[in-house]
């Protein structure tokens, strides 16, 4: 086996895991704190991507600058969606919640199709998009490297907030015991709103990066919803700390298959979900 | 001033009415117990007072302030602490984090958090030993102590306590009741709901008897201990 190819596969996998972690951690936050299974999560990601694209086209905003606009925009979008719909179904059966978020996703996706059309869009002509480095035969693109570093930085920031700040502790308190949380003076509904909005903002930040890395269409979101779900399930529902490891595992597997197996690129998604199947089956056996 | 004045309180789970026109009063500094059989509505009564149940009619006044419209988070700001059924602790947080969370979101409690924490540890030295342990790994008795401790961290003037003896060994029950008495002697008004009628009548000054969601009797705790009806129904003498 070609060692360089193997190293390339590992490196690409590691770099891809950052973005997966960023998108998944937002979903895990919504599931863990609010208990809402949000099928529109990937659509927040997509909206982030196309907002960044539009900011670039209309005002020439560099994607790095767009991060600072997209995050608050998606935070507000998340808050609005929570206030106008999610908060009313918190006690509804889970199937109803899923249908609602699924519907929200479809609306967002179709709105994007109306606004931007179905063609792939990309922030292609930023000067650094083609920059790459060669290290011992292995190539590292600046964009994947930067998106990895930014993603990990944001995820680390979220971990810090959750573990070390009063707001983070409030979110953990609400996640662990709603009744107890309200008895120590927390307005549970307000914490839910913040968690949902934050979750949307995290997805939006991931979207900005995909607009530079790939050429997304408005239907890019659903694949990411599924992938994020897979990672969240792998980490254990609601387990935010497990997200980094789970993202690394699936991203590595995906990348290694794509680089080492002939025609492996078309197997990417298959590998992703094969891992999830195996984990779910093994886990249910262990519990049985 | 009255610490608590409940007038014609009715409470509902969906369409099912659980409390029927309950009225009772607690003077500041008193230790009052509400006794009754399983399903009499004791837990519902406390939950209605602390705001965990919002589907209710009637009035609840605490320290002269009407609170029946407020959310649980607002009611704890009116100096009412609740040690709830099932403890409702944060299981993946340490003992220390659970205690701190009691004071974190209430400015008046936060200022005195260090002092209150020392007080809680003096009441329950076991909690100090378990400070770094996750709440989910504590024994039943320790969880009860932690639930009381967390409620004390909110700096209540009125403490509602739901079935602290549930699932506890007799020795631990004694410890917990002793702690409640001490807390009361320090000036905190206590409303205790219990199935362990003997212990609670011994600890409290006054008692109300709740049957099928209605107050059927009220008296000095000591006189209820000698009441033949109470003895027959609750004390199995």
């Amino acid at each position: 086996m070609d060692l360089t190819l193997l190293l390339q596969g590992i490196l690409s996998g590691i770099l891809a895991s950052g973005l997966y972690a960023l998108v998944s951690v937002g979903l895990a936050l919504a599931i863990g704190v609010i208990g809402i299974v949000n099928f529109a999560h990937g659509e927040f990601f997509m909206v982030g991507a196309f907002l960044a694209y539009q900011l670039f086209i209309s005002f020439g905003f560099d994607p790095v600058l767009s991060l600072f606009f997209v995050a608050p925009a998606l935070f507000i979008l998340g808050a609005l969606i929570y206030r106008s719909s999610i908060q009313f179904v918190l006690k509804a059966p889970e199937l109803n919640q899923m249908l609602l978020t699924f519907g929200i996703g479809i609306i967002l996706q179709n709105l994007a199709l109306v606004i931007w059309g179905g063609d792939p869009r990309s922030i292609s002509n930023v000067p650094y998009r083609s920059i790459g480095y060669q290290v011992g035969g292995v190539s590292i693109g600046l964009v994947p490297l930067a998106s990895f570093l930014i993603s990990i930085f944001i995820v680390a920031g979220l971990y810090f907030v959750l573990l070390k700040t009063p707001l983070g502790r409030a979110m953990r308190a609400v996640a662990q015991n709603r009744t107890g949380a309200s008895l120590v003076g927390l307005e549970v509904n307000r914490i839910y709103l913040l968690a949902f909005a934050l979750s949307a903002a995290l997805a939006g930040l991931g979207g900005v990066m995909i607009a530079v890395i790939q050429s997304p269409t408005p239907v890019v979101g659903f694949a990411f919803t599924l992938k994020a779900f897979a990672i969240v399930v792998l980490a254990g529902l609601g387990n935010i700390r497990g997200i980094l490891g789970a993202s690394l595992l699936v991203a590595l597997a995906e990348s290694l298959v794509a680089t080492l197996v002939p025609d492996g690129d078309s197997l990417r998604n298959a590998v992703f979900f094969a891992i999830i199947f195996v984990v779910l089956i093994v886990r249910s056996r262990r519990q049985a | 001033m009255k610490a608590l004045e409940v007038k014609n309180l009715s409470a509902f789970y969906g369409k099912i009415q659980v409390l029927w026109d309950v009225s009772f009063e607690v003077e500041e500094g008193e230790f009052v117990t509400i006794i009754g059989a399983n399903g009499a509505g004791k837990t519902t009564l406390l939950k209605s007072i602390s705001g965990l149940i919002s589907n209710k009619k009637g009035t609840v006044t605490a320290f002269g302030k009407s609170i029946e419209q407020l959310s649980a988070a607002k009611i704890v700001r009116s100096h009412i602490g609740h040690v709830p059924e099932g403890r409702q602790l944060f299981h993946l947080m340490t003992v220390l984090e659970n205690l701190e969370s009691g004071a974190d979101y209430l400015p008046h409690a936060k200022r005195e958090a260090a002092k209150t924490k020392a007080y809680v540890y003096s009441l329950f030295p076991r909690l100090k030993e378990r400070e770094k342990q996750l709440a989910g790994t504590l024994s039943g008795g320790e969880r009860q102590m932690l639930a009381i401790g967390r409620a004390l961290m909110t700096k209540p003037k009125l403490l509602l306590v739901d079935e602290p003896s549930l699932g506890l060994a007799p020795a631990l029950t004694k410890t917990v009741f002793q702690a409640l008495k001490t807390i009361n002697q320090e000036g905190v008004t206590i409303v205790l709901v219990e199935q362990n009628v003997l212990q609670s009548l011994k600890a409290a000054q006054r008692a109300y008897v709740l049957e099928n969601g209605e107050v059927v009797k009220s008296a000095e705790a000591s006189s209820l201990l000698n009441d033949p009806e109470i003895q027959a129904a609750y004390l199995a003498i």
Side-chain angles (χ1 to χ4, degrees), chain A residues 163 165-174 176-188 190 241, chain B residues 50 52 71-74 76-77 82 84 87-93 97 100-102 104-106 150 154:
Chain A
L163 293 174
T165 67
L167 174 68
R169 191 188 274 173
M171 286 193 188
R172 286 187 294 140
V174 169
Q176 289 171 32
N177 196 310
R178 221 193 130 138
T179 305
S182 59
L183 288 178
V184 298
L186 288 167
E187 294 287 2
V188 172
R190 203 171 297 161
R241 294 185 208 205
Chain B
S50 72
L52 290 179
S71 67
K74 292 249 163 55
V76 70
R77 285 174 171 74
H82 186 179
R87 327 329 187 199
Q88 312 295 345
L89 298 171
F90 308 125
H91 290 278
L92 298 174
M93 292 190 200
E97 284 180 301
E100 286 175 348
S101 72
D104 266 353
Y105 310 104
L106 310 165
R150 187 181 66 181
T154 68

Side-chain angles (χ1 to χ4, degrees), chain A:
Chain A
M1 192 168 46
D2 188 346
L3 186 65
T4 325
L5 209 55
L6 180 67
L7 284 176
Q8 182 71 57
I10 292 175
L11 187 72
S12 305
I14 292 173
L15 293 185
S17 72
L19 181 58
Y20 284 154
L22 176 61
V23 179
S24 309
V25 86
L27 186 66
L29 192 67
I31 295 176
V33 175
I34 315 169
I36 192 96
V37 176
N38 180 19
F39 275 105
H41 192 69
E43 267 29 83
F44 291 144
F45 173 82
M46 176 276 293
V47 171
F50 279 83
L51 271 184
Y53 167 76
Q54 195 61 48
L55 286 170
F56 179 74
I57 294 298
S58 302
F59 308 107
F61 277 16
D62 188 280
V64 177
L65 178 64
S66 292
L67 290 172
F68 296 94
F69 287 86
V70 169
L74 265 290
F75 187 91
I76 292 167
L77 178 67
L80 286 176
I81 287 178
Y82 179 83
R83 265 288 148 84
S84 60
S85 62
I86 306 286
Q87 68 168 340
F88 302 113
V89 299
L90 292 176
K91 287 178 183 157
E94 277 179 4
L95 186 62
N96 296 20
Q97 299 178 343
M98 288 185 211
L99 282 172
L100 173 72
T101 59
F102 202 77
I104 292 169
I106 290 174
I107 293 173
L108 289 175
Q109 193 186 96
N110 283 281
L111 273 177
L113 281 167
V114 169
I115 298 172
W116 288 288
D119 297 331
R121 307 282 178 163
S122 169
I123 303 178
S124 51
N125 38 349
V126 281
Y128 47 77
R129 204 186 192 214
S130 54
I131 296 178
Y133 308 100
Q134 295 287 328
V135 183
V138 177
S139 65
I140 309 171
L142 175 61
V143 169
L145 179 66
S147 94
F148 172 76
L149 292 176
I150 295 172
S151 297
I152 293 299
F153 178 75
I154 297 169
V155 172
L158 178 73
Y159 282 18
F160 177 81
V161 167
L162 284 175
L163 293 174
K164 299 288 174 198
T165 67
L167 174 68
R169 191 188 274 173
M171 286 193 188
R172 286 187 294 140
V174 169
Q176 289 171 32
N177 196 310
R178 221 193 130 138
T179 305
S182 59
L183 288 178
V184 298
L186 288 167
E187 294 287 2
V188 172
N189 206 32
R190 203 171 297 161
I191 303 292
Y192 283 174
L193 172 79
L194 283 174
F196 195 80
L198 188 57
S199 160
L202 290 166
L205 287 170
V208 177
M209 293 181 220
I210 207 73
V212 190
I213 297 171
Q214 295 180 5
S215 305
T217 71
V219 297
V220 70
F222 193 62
F224 270 85
T225 300
L226 289 182
K227 286 185 175 181
F229 258 104
I231 289 168
V232 167
V233 168
L234 198 57
L237 272 188
N239 177 0
I240 290 176
R241 294 185 208 205
I243 294 288
L244 275 181
S247 301
L248 190 61
L249 179 71
V250 288
L252 271 180
E254 203 185 38
S255 158
L256 284 176
V257 167
T259 43
L260 299 182
V261 177
D263 281 332
D265 209 40
S266 53
L267 290 173
R268 274 173 176 271
N269 288 347
V271 173
F272 212 101
F273 290 103
I275 292 176
I276 305 307
F277 288 145
V278 172
V279 167
L280 284 179
I281 290 167
V282 169
R283 205 178 274 164
S284 65
R285 289 225 165 171
R286 215 188 290 150
Q287 278 163 4

Side-chain angles (χ1 to χ4, degrees), chain B residues 170-214:
Chain B
L172 271 174
T173 304
K174 229 174 163 181
T175 312
V176 168
F177 273 86
Q178 192 51 53
L180 290 178
K181 269 195 199 166
T182 312
I183 293 164
N184 177 242
Q185 279 154 14
E186 310 267 335
V188 176
T189 311
I190 291 186
V191 175
L192 168 72
V193 141
E194 256 297 343
Q195 280 191 76
N196 188 334
V197 173
L198 182 63
Q199 287 283 358
S200 46
L201 286 181
K202 281 183 179 168
Q205 293 145 13
R206 269 187 331 113
Y208 289 89
V209 182
L210 199 64
E211 268 174 24
N212 299 318
E214 291 178 273

Side-chain angles (χ1 to χ4, degrees), chain B residues 6-10 21-22 56-60 66 68-69:
Chain B
V6 174
K7 265 194 197 145
N8 302 323
L9 186 67
S10 298
D21 281 331
V22 171
K56 60 200 171 196
K57 277 190 262 177
T59 62
V60 182
S66 167
E68 73 272 355
Q69 302 287 340

